[in-house]
Amino acid sequence: MTFDRMLERVRYEGAYPTRERAAEAVHTVLAALGRRFTGDERVELAQCLRTEAAPALTAQIPDTERLTGWGFVKDLAARTGTTPAIARRHTGAVLTSVGRLAGPDLLTRILRRLPDSYALLFGRAELRRPTPQPAAA
């Protein structure tokens, strides 16, 4: 997928009026994501992204604070001066496209590195394993 194709997908998903607004959302969300995880998965994701988008992810110094998916959205809203609803729209539009670009195997590995509730941001149902119940005495 070319960067232009990715922008068109993000523009459609986020209902952005222009390609410039879609590109701004891509760079903002990828920068926020770049602060959330490290390791081989981050490197592989950067390789999947086009040269126009990869630096937004890799230029960020990872933050030690682990945020839930909702925390990620609220942090993005605070950093960009928008509402959580708008930040959620940006996040969903961008990360859904990024997830498709990464493919199911890499996306699964990325989600394992992130706290719970990020799967929904990537447009994937979040399935949880049942918690074992203590045996009755």
Side-chain angles (χ1 to χ4, degrees), residues 17-30:
T18 65
R19 289 174 39 84
E20 291 75 24
R21 284 290 300 128
E24 183 180 319
V26 166
H27 287 84
T28 301
V29 172
L30 286 177

Side-chain angles (χ1 to χ4, degrees), residues 13 20 31 62 74 80 105 114 137:
E13 295 284 337
E20 291 75 24
K74 291 191 308 185
T80 59
D105 295 336
L114 296 168

Side-chain angles (χ1 to χ4, degrees), residues 30-65:
L30 286 177
L33 184 63
R35 288 189 292 275
R36 296 293 133 219
F37 75 107
T38 61
D40 293 340
E41 290 79 12
R42 181 176 159 158
V43 172
E44 288 181 50
L45 181 58
Q47 290 171 347
C48 291
L49 297 170
R50 301 304 167 240
T51 56
E52 299 91 341
L57 178 78
T58 59
Q60 304 306 310
I61 297 171
D63 194 340
T64 57
E65 181 182 11

Side-chain angles (χ1 to χ4, degrees), residues 80-117:
T80 59
T82 62
T83 66
I86 291 171
R88 174 61 180 95
R89 180 173 59 99
H90 294 325
T91 301
V94 173
L95 294 184
T96 299
S97 295
V98 167
R100 285 187 196 123
L101 188 63
D105 295 336
L106 178 55
L107 181 55
T108 297
R109 292 190 350 255
I110 290 169
L111 290 173
R112 284 187 190 137
R113 288 194 156 276
L114 296 168
D116 287 343
S117 69

